[in-house]
Amino acid sequence: MAGDETRVTKISSLLDVRVAEAECCLVQIHGPELGKKYAIQDAELTIGRGEDNHIVVDLDNVSRRHVRVLRRQGRMFVEDLKSTNGTYLNDQEVMQETPLRSGDLIKVGGSIFKFLTGDNVELQYHETIYTLTIVDGLTGVNNKRYFLEYLEREMGRCHRYRRPLSLMMFDIDFFKKINDVHGHLAGDYVLRELGQSIKRMVRREQCFARYGGEEFAVVVPEDPPENVRIFAEKIRRTIEQKSFVFEDQDIPVTLSIGVAQMESDMNEPLQFIKVADANLYKAKKTGRNRVVG
């Protein structure tokens, strides 16, 4: 038995050394230095607004010394440094020194960092950078660039085969009020939760993207217009009925949605978007929390 204990101890020690020596880094996936990679080479790395930090994030909702990532006994941890707005690990507030795993997301004010470690950090980094070209770092849904490319491609295809193509443009009603009353971290939480809720409703052949700010878009190829309106109403109702709770505060959230169908004289995505946006504007002017188009 003693020999077994010694062997287990040796294996454990080797694993700790391997983890301790493994390359570790943070990649900013949302914030001022999008895509920048920060190697973690010392026993501690701090993030904050002050110039004396290893990573400086010059945002108002970031404290002077906000958070640190540290190496202890062969493992990596994150610890909030009594910041004003808190630090969040995978959307959970960091209340104590918490262990990190590769792929974890650390939210510091209005920025998000992805923690990477292991034998293939460089590969993980390049995969992360590629993802940033098509996915919005905050919400995890497709970004505006991907949406525009997808829409242009689908417009060409549906014109060619004479098939219907529909577009929904929608945004969150009174989103500025959510930020003003509950704070920008609550606003970010609403955007993330809303994005993930709708993402689960969208089929693989469709495209769901964050267009900008609190505005989102869904492209629906080949479905009849009446089915698309039913789908838009389902999205509106799902968000209206969903419970958004941030730091024990209930946040009511509703959507205004504009729907448009591609016409034969539409050749550019912006022509299509303009019609859907006009219907979105009508939805907002006639009372919000409704579908027009």
Side-chain angles (χ1 to χ4, degrees):
M1 291 295 292
D4 287 343
E5 289 175 2
T6 302
R7 186 161 61 250
V8 169
T9 302
K10 285 181 178 178
I11 291 171
S12 177
S13 298
L14 285 171
L15 287 172
D16 283 347
V17 169
R18 200 171 295 145
V19 171
E21 293 178 349
E23 184 183 355
C24 301
C25 73
L26 295 174
V27 181
Q28 190 165 159
I29 64 168
H30 183 73
E33 299 282 350
L34 190 66
K36 189 167 182 179
K37 176 183 176 185
Y38 303 89
I40 305 173
Q41 297 173 330
D42 301 324
E44 177 180 299
L45 177 148
T46 62
I47 305 173
R49 203 172 68 248
E51 293 293 333
D52 55 338
N53 291 282
H54 298 89
I55 301 177
V56 178
V57 181
D58 190 15
L59 294 172
D60 290 342
N61 54 8
V62 175
S63 296
R64 198 187 72 77
R65 274 175 58 84
H66 197 110
V67 62
R68 68 173 179 164
V69 174
L70 61 151
R71 196 187 302 264
R72 192 190 305 284
Q73 296 179 339
R75 300 185 68 187
M76 301 299 297
F77 295 83
V78 61
E79 180 186 21
D80 182 71
L81 298 176
K82 298 181 179 178
S83 65
T84 302
N85 292 311
T87 300
Y88 292 81
L89 178 64
N90 301 324
D91 288 334
Q92 299 296 315
E93 188 169 7
V94 176
M95 306 303 294
Q96 59 189 11
E97 200 173 280
T98 306
L100 286 168
R101 297 173 301 178
S102 193
D104 279 348
L105 301 182
I106 304 168
K107 182 167 175 52
V108 182
S111 61
I112 301 174
F113 296 88
K114 188 172 186 178
F115 173 72
L116 302 177
T117 188
D119 297 330
N120 59 346
V121 164
E122 199 60 28
L123 176 61
Q124 293 179 65
Y125 171 67
H126 287 295
E127 288 175 346
T128 300
I129 294 301
Y130 170 71
T131 300
L132 285 178
T133 66
I134 62 172
V135 173
D136 174 59
L138 177 65
T139 60
V141 306
N142 288 126
N143 60 19
K144 182 177 180 179
R145 173 183 171 179
Y146 180 87
F147 159 70
L148 290 173
E149 291 175 354
Y150 175 93
L151 183 57
E152 184 172 26
R153 187 170 63 246
E154 284 301 308
M155 286 179 71
R157 189 180 69 85
C158 288
H159 268 314
R160 192 160 55 249
Y161 296 107
R162 300 179 183 276
R163 291 173 180 169
L165 183 65
S166 300
L167 172 63
M168 298 181 214
M169 300 293 292
F170 54 90
D171 68 10
I172 301 170
D173 296 327
F174 302 113
F175 185 68
K176 183 179 183 300
K177 184 178 177 181
I178 293 173
N179 281 328
D180 291 344
V181 173
H182 301 283
H184 287 275
L185 291 179
D188 286 351
Y189 158 79
V190 168
L191 289 170
R192 279 197 308 276
E193 282 293 301
L194 181 143
Q196 290 304 305
S197 295
I198 297 175
K199 186 179 180 180
R200 289 190 286 269
M201 301 171 66
V202 174
R203 299 198 304 267
R204 183 174 296 180
E205 66 272 19
Q206 299 168 347
C207 173
F208 172 48
R210 185 183 181 193
Y211 189 65
E214 69 272 24
E215 191 169 7
F216 293 82
V218 177
V219 186
V220 184
E222 303 196 14
D223 275 12
E226 56 272 20
N227 288 7
V228 177
R229 292 189 190 95
I230 291 169
F231 183 31
E233 178 59 29
K234 182 179 178 182
I235 289 174
R236 186 205 63 77
R237 190 170 58 250
T238 297
I239 297 306
E240 181 186 35
Q241 295 173 352
K242 179 177 169 59
S243 176
F244 290 85
V245 181
F246 183 78
E247 295 184 344
D248 298 324
Q249 297 181 72
D250 284 302
I251 304 174
V253 179
T254 60
L255 298 175
S256 295
I257 304 178
V259 182
Q261 282 73 48
M262 185 179 69
E263 303 294 341
S264 58
D265 61 346
M266 291 180 181
N267 298 307
E268 300 289 337
L270 290 181
Q271 293 174 289
F272 203 176
I273 292 167
K274 186 177 179 180
V275 177
D277 253 338
N279 285 335
L280 167 58
Y281 180 75
K282 288 177 188 174
K284 298 184 86 66
K285 292 298 286 184
T286 55
R288 293 183 168 84
N289 189 24
R290 62 191 61 205
V291 176
V292 171

